[in-house]
Amino acid sequence: MSTRAKAARIRAYGPPEVLVFEDIDVAAPGPGQLLIRNTVIGLNFVEVYYRRGTFPVPAFPAVLGNEAVGVVEAVGADVTGIKVGDRVVYSDDVHGAYSTFCLYSADRVAIVPDGISDQQAASSFLKGLTARYLLKETVKLQAGDTVLYHAAAGGVGQLFIQWAKTMGIQVIGTVSSPEKMAIALAAGCSHVINYRSDNFADRVMELTGNIGVKAVFDSVGKDTFSDSLAVLQPRGTLVVFGKASGNPPLINPFDLAPRSLTLTWPVLPVYVATPQQLASAAEDLFQAIETGIINVEPSRVYPFEQLIEAHRDLEERRTTGAAVLIV
């Protein structure tokens, strides 16, 4: 028996207005699946990429959305460890979260602990898992290391910085405005550079005594790529994980040789590819939330019906931190 749901779908790529609310039928859960009634939906810039067509959707019409928290309404055959009434969170890149109900694989969700609210979980699962693998798995960092993080006032950035500070890692952040400088400093940056008024490469080298940083974490792409390589110390690592300003320029691998630099573009799905990896990462994230290592309260809360406005704010970079939709 299917369930009637209200979903935001796109039938073509384009501006926020291509998102249209429609009634859809969601099938009963099959083997290994859950029927989830979404309560809070997380907003992430990657969904702008899919709406614009920067990243392709599998087919039209498409229900976007990669992250949500909800209540399990029905359980398919062969599901163990999860029951009707459990609160669960998910964030895989499979779309479908912009809906009041959805089907999801039971081995790709995490049960939300009692001490974490729906809003906290929806605002932090994708961003928190991303911050975690960047900080703990892409580069071998240790107390005393200094790194550079671009877009430091963003949702992932604030979690990364808070977490890094508790590990004794110093973070130099870059932002685009004085207001965002204050946010990044409050999150725990040791220094913050406004790249609109200062050359960040010059400032980083000044701040590090011309040594450079051990790693750069760059989701901006084209505009920051070359200077990010320039500020790395010998054997440093450039971690590119987004391209908000466009594709980075092509590079000859031999250009990395003089300082033995490493260039990588990691993606979250590879780091949580198995149910065991996802469960371990989620446990670490939830512990960081519950012990106060990271603050995951959303900075912007919209009703689900204001999704188009929320996308405009995302696209125009009027949001800092995390934003969520209340269903």
Side-chain angles (χ1 to χ4, degrees):
M1 182 176 178
S2 63
T3 299
R4 200 68 169 163
K6 180 181 180 182
R9 299 203 288 189
I10 63 170
R11 296 179 178 274
Y13 300 123
E17 289 73 20
V18 299
L19 289 159
V20 177
F21 286 100
E22 299 176 343
D23 289 334
I24 63 171
D25 288 318
V26 178
Q33 290 185 319
L34 306 172
L35 175 66
I36 302 170
R37 175 175 54 82
N38 291 330
T39 57
V40 184
I41 300 167
L43 280 166
N44 297 283
F45 200 85
V46 69
E47 291 141 27
V48 173
Y49 289 152
Y50 281 112
R51 195 206 71 228
R52 291 173 177 169
T54 306
F55 296 158
V57 298
F60 293 114
V63 179
L64 301 185
N66 300 88
E67 178 179 33
V69 173
V71 177
V72 176
E73 294 288 309
V75 176
D78 303 325
V79 173
T80 59
I82 300 175
K83 64 184 184 303
V84 171
D86 281 344
R87 289 188 307 138
V88 294
V89 59
Y90 58 88
S91 68
D92 283 329
D93 189 9
V94 296
H95 307 303
Y98 289 178
S99 180
T100 52
F101 289 86
C102 73
L103 288 177
Y104 220 82
S105 295
D107 63 359
R108 300 306 302 169
V109 306
I111 296 177
V112 181
D114 290 340
I116 298 175
S117 71
D118 288 7
Q119 287 194 27
Q120 289 176 316
S123 68
S124 68
F125 201 59
L126 179 57
K127 296 177 182 67
L129 292 180
T130 300
R132 180 191 173 279
Y133 86 80
L134 291 173
L135 179 63
K136 295 189 173 186
E137 297 191 70
T138 60
V139 185
K140 291 182 178 179
L141 297 174
Q142 58 188 9
D145 287 338
T146 300
V147 303
L148 175 66
Y149 192 102
H150 291 300
V156 175
Q158 289 186 52
L159 299 184
F160 179 100
I161 294 159
Q162 292 174 56
W163 218 330
K165 186 176 181 180
T166 67
M167 295 168 61
I169 297 164
Q170 294 192 56
V171 182
I172 301 171
T174 71
V175 296
S176 60
S177 70
E179 294 78 15
K180 291 182 178 180
M181 288 184 74
I183 291 169
L185 283 170
C189 276
S190 56
H191 302 279
V192 182
I193 303 164
N194 183 341
Y195 63 81
R196 295 194 187 280
S197 57
D198 290 308
N199 181 293
F200 80 80
D202 291 344
R203 284 287 291 135
V204 168
M205 298 309 290
E206 178 186 336
L207 290 168
T208 60
N210 287 318
I211 294 173
V213 294
K214 185 168 184 177
V216 178
F217 296 88
D218 188 350
S219 62
V220 178
K222 178 183 176 183
D223 291 350
T224 51
F225 183 84
S226 297
D227 280 345
S228 291
L229 282 173
V231 301
L232 288 170
Q233 61 188 230
R235 299 173 63 182
T237 302
L238 172 53
V239 182
V240 182
F241 63 104
K243 51 177 184 177
S245 66
N247 287 319
L250 296 177
I251 183 172
N252 185 329
F254 288 104
D255 293 340
L256 305 174
R259 284 176 288 143
S260 294
L261 302 180
T262 299
L263 170 63
T264 183
W265 193 315
V267 292
L268 177 61
V270 175
Y271 287 83
V272 292
T274 69
Q276 294 76 20
Q277 288 171 334
L278 177 62
S280 177
E283 182 180 5
D284 193 21
L285 172 63
F286 292 149
Q287 184 178 35
I289 296 170
E290 291 181 307
T291 56
I293 289 175
I294 55 176
N295 173 22
V296 298
E297 294 294 341
S299 58
R300 295 290 294 271
V301 177
Y302 303 85
F304 185 30
E305 293 76 14
Q306 291 182 11
L307 176 61
I308 291 174
E309 178 186 339
H311 260 246
R312 289 196 194 106
D313 289 345
L314 273 179
E315 200 160 30
E316 297 301 321
R317 303 195 177 278
R318 289 192 288 262
T319 63
T320 57
V324 297
L325 302 158
I326 304 298
V327 181

